[in-house]
Amino acid sequence: MVSGFLFGYDTGVVSGSMLLIQPFFHLSMLWAQVIVSATVGTAALTSSVAEFVADFVGRKVIIGTAAVLFTTGAIVMGEAETILVIIVGRVIVGFAMGLSTVVVVLYVKESALATRLKWLLGWLQLMYTIGNMVSNFLTMVLHYLGDKMVWQYLLGFGAIPSILQFIAIILLPESPRWLMECDDAEGTRESLILLRGTDQIGDELEAIRLDVEEERNELDKGMRLSKPPIIRILLKPKVRQSAMNVSFLHLFQQLSGISCIILYGGSMILLSGLPTNLSLILLNIPNVLYVVATYLSNKFEPMKDDRRQLLVSSFIGKIVLIRFVHFESTVICGSEQKDSFLSRSMCFSFRTCAMCTYTEFCGFCYTNWWDGSCLPTDLNNSYKSVVGRCNHSHTANPYYKFIHSECPSDFGWFVVVGMVVFVLAYAPGLGQITQRENSQRCPVWARKTSNSIARSINWGANLIISMTFLLLMVAMTKYGTCWMFTGLCLIGVIYTAILLPDE
């Protein structure tokens, strides 16, 4: 449970803290994306090999190592005074995240009773959402204390649950299945006795032995055929289809936009035209409802026949969010004199007020929200522009206003409503089904390879989204970005309806 909270906290804390880090260091969008995606990139590398490494050294060693890395990264970020140090801390946390998310789930699956497995995996997902919610709530509370360095406390707080994870894994026994794979039958028996609290574990011990023996026989068969598991998966149509379905779920879990909500939720609200203080408050609404929706999804587990309908509902909910964001993006910079200075200015290229005011060196000049221009800010006086109609020497019109931290929009709340719809649709669909699927439909010999491929696809797609989201908002505008994600969700609906089986 602690591991789920830790993963959720370290994932979600960047959403709110970036609203404080960005103005503190005067970050460009590129640097903001580097900070966010540094963790995702390193997690993508370690998650692809974590299960194979755990087969050699054991589950406890990997989980304990991840806890140490989590603590180290949190301390580094908590003491950081430069951007590069923050990135180093995020990279360290990324290594820990890639190891922990894979091996903790593996440990739970190998150690839990079959009758309690779904319940435990559900609670692991629930604790992830709680960690996400707590990170954003702490950001809001600490921000109101007025300390400009509050982001250090937020990033450093992750050391507390990581220390608890380290203590917990020391007290727990090793995975009984891994011990059996190491031909340690006595160690397997002792581990089961500690986990179950009884010595009546003969049937379970025999089931583990038979399962390990079956996997070995299948692997030996593959060795005799001189075909690695990936080749055997591709050559067997039913196994290939199962592996493709799992990879599809992991791919579209990210491409449909969950990373945008978790990693950039605060920035999305801020870019909708709302001030930082209000953005931090409103960010808690979808996070709280995400916890509630995940809890209800665990409590009222859907029937197998509902699997396809839930997935389609998830995609439709995401399309609703995208359309809400698309509607809000109607605050467009109006026309302005295209003199030679403006033609060379980065500010003049921004088409929306939100993207204009997100950049330190630009501000929005307007009389009404539908009639504005993005102009370069006077660094000596942030209440006026260098040139243009909000420069005091250029015009005497007292009705022009020049702002550089928020936008004059009546529709910012649309983004929050869309995020609420998103999480309510996501939790019972892609959120739960992807978590539980994990290649269980594949034969034993194909599961590790299939899981590794699916996780690599998941983290890889997450990296692409996290590294490009804000830049896409500039290059394609909100309008184009919204249509891109709408198209991806529609592809997900088509694949789910046609190719994904109900059972």
Side-chain angles (χ1 to χ4, degrees):
M1 300 303 104
V2 175
S3 298
F5 178 90
L6 178 59
F7 178 42
Y9 183 88
D10 278 324
T11 302
V13 70
V14 72
S15 178
S17 61
M18 282 306 298
L19 300 185
L20 311 177
I21 294 174
Q22 193 274 336
F24 184 86
F25 288 104
H26 309 296
L27 295 179
S28 66
M29 287 185 183
L30 179 60
W31 276 108
Q33 289 182 152
V34 169
I35 291 176
V36 172
S37 59
T39 294
V40 180
T42 49
L45 293 174
T46 52
S47 65
S48 62
V49 298
E51 188 168 346
F52 298 100
V53 175
D55 284 343
F56 286 97
V57 300
R59 304 351 181 185
K60 287 187 63 174
V61 171
I62 296 297
I63 296 173
T65 301
V68 172
L69 290 173
F70 270 125
T71 305
T72 303
I75 292 174
V76 169
M77 291 186 292
E79 295 294 327
E81 295 183 356
T82 66
I83 292 300
L84 291 179
V85 176
I86 294 177
I87 293 174
V88 169
R90 293 282 294 169
V91 166
I92 295 172
V93 168
F95 282 118
M97 199 174 290
L99 295 173
S100 183
T101 54
V102 173
V103 183
V104 167
V105 173
L106 184 64
Y107 180 85
V108 170
K109 287 182 176 181
E110 294 178 345
S111 303
L113 282 168
T115 56
R116 304 288 286 174
L117 180 57
K118 287 186 177 180
W119 181 85
L120 284 170
L121 291 177
W123 267 95
L124 195 64
Q125 178 70 11
L126 179 63
M127 291 304 295
Y128 167 81
T129 63
I130 292 175
N132 197 342
M133 178 187 69
V134 169
S135 68
N136 288 291
F137 181 76
L138 284 178
T139 304
M140 178 191 70
V141 172
L142 294 178
H143 175 66
Y144 275 90
L145 297 179
D147 191 339
K148 292 183 179 180
M149 303 294 286
V150 67
W151 53 268
Q152 288 184 320
Y153 308 139
L154 293 167
L155 298 177
F157 179 82
I160 297 176
S162 62
I163 292 173
L164 294 178
Q165 176 177 302
F166 184 80
I167 295 172
I169 198 60
I170 289 177
L171 299 177
L172 288 171
E174 181 57 88
S175 159
R177 180 185 170 84
W178 182 77
L179 291 171
M180 184 64 75
E181 289 176 352
C182 297
D183 296 321
D184 187 357
E186 183 59 30
T188 304
R189 183 177 181 279
E190 293 176 358
S191 176
L192 284 174
I193 291 174
L194 287 173
L195 289 169
R196 307 292 180 254
T198 177
D199 58 0
Q200 304 300 315
I201 43 85
D203 292 342
E204 188 175 3
L205 185 64
E206 179 64 13
I208 293 174
R209 187 190 67 79
L210 292 175
D211 194 42
V212 170
E213 185 177 324
E214 178 188 354
E215 182 177 4
R216 283 177 177 173
N217 290 336
E218 288 290 345
L219 290 174
D220 290 342
K221 180 180 177 181
M223 293 291 290
R224 290 194 301 271
L225 295 173
S226 299
K227 293 177 181 177
I230 181 64
I231 301 299
R232 296 180 66 197
I233 289 173
L234 294 175
L235 292 177
K236 294 180 178 292
K238 290 185 178 180
V239 180
R240 182 176 67 240
Q241 186 62 46
S242 296
M244 285 178 60
N245 289 337
V246 174
S247 296
F248 160 80
L249 291 175
H250 281 267
L251 174 65
F252 277 89
Q253 185 186 56
Q254 298 300 329
L255 292 186
S256 56
I258 184 61
S259 296
C260 303
I261 301 294
I262 301 299
L263 300 177
Y264 291 109
S267 297
M268 288 174 65
I269 298 175
L270 183 69
L271 289 173
S272 70
L274 300 176
T276 300
N277 289 348
L278 185 56
S279 295
L280 290 173
I281 294 173
L282 293 177
L283 184 58
N284 287 280
I285 297 175
N287 282 300
V288 170
L289 292 176
Y290 188 17
V291 173
V292 174
T294 302
Y295 172 77
L296 294 176
S297 299
N298 291 334
K299 188 175 180 63
F300 304 102
E301 184 179 344
M303 302 295 291
K304 290 183 178 179
D305 293 341
D306 296 333
R307 178 169 173 261
R308 181 183 293 170
Q309 290 85 343
L310 285 171
L311 289 172
V312 171
S313 298
S314 282
F315 286 118
I316 292 175
K318 294 176 181 184
I319 291 174
V320 171
L321 161 67
I322 294 166
R323 303 329 300 163
F324 269 98
V325 175
H326 173 260
F327 179 83
E328 181 276 327
S329 67
T330 54
V331 183
I332 306 296
C333 293
S335 60
E336 179 60 70
Q337 176 183 339
K338 296 184 179 180
D339 57 36
S340 59
F341 180 87
L342 287 176
S343 298
R344 297 191 302 270
S345 173
M346 171 185 65
C347 306
F348 191 67
S349 64
F350 293 128
R351 297 298 301 159
T352 67
C353 171
M355 303 310 298
C356 175
T357 55
Y358 192 82
T359 306
E360 175 198 5
F361 303 105
C362 304
F364 191 66
C365 177
Y366 72 102
T367 53
N368 296 291
W369 65 264
W370 61 84
D371 177 29
S373 305
C374 188
L375 301 173
T377 303
D378 187 337
L379 297 181
N380 296 320
N381 184 354
S382 61
Y383 293 99
K384 69 175 185 176
S385 60
V386 176
V387 295
R389 56 189 180 180
C390 279
N391 176 268
H392 288 249
S393 61
H394 182 79
T395 178
N397 192 333
Y399 298 105
Y400 286 119
K401 298 179 182 179
F402 190 66
I403 55 177
H404 48 83
S405 61
E406 57 191 74
C407 287
S409 173
D410 296 328
F411 307 111
W413 59 273
F414 269 61
V415 174
V416 180
V417 173
M419 291 170 68
V420 168
V421 174
F422 182 102
V423 298
L424 292 179
Y426 172 84
L430 276 172
Q432 289 295 324
I433 293 173
T434 303
Q435 172 73 13
R436 291 172 178 172
E437 193 70 11
N438 262 339
S439 301
Q440 292 304 307
R441 300 174 190 276
C442 295
V444 174
W445 60 267
R447 288 178 187 173
K448 288 182 180 179
T449 302
S450 181
N451 281 335
S452 179
I453 294 171
R455 283 191 298 266
S456 298
I457 290 173
N458 188 303
W459 281 107
N462 192 344
L463 177 61
I464 292 172
I465 296 298
S466 64
M467 192 63 193
T468 62
F469 180 66
L470 293 180
L471 293 179
L472 283 174
M473 298 275 276
V474 176
M476 299 176 61
T477 72
K478 275 188 182 179
Y479 186 86
T481 306
C482 287
W483 276 113
M484 183 192 75
F485 280 106
T486 299
L488 291 172
C489 287
L490 289 175
I491 293 173
V493 170
I494 294 171
Y495 185 99
T496 301
I498 297 176
L499 297 176
L500 199 67
D502 279 328
E503 297 185 358

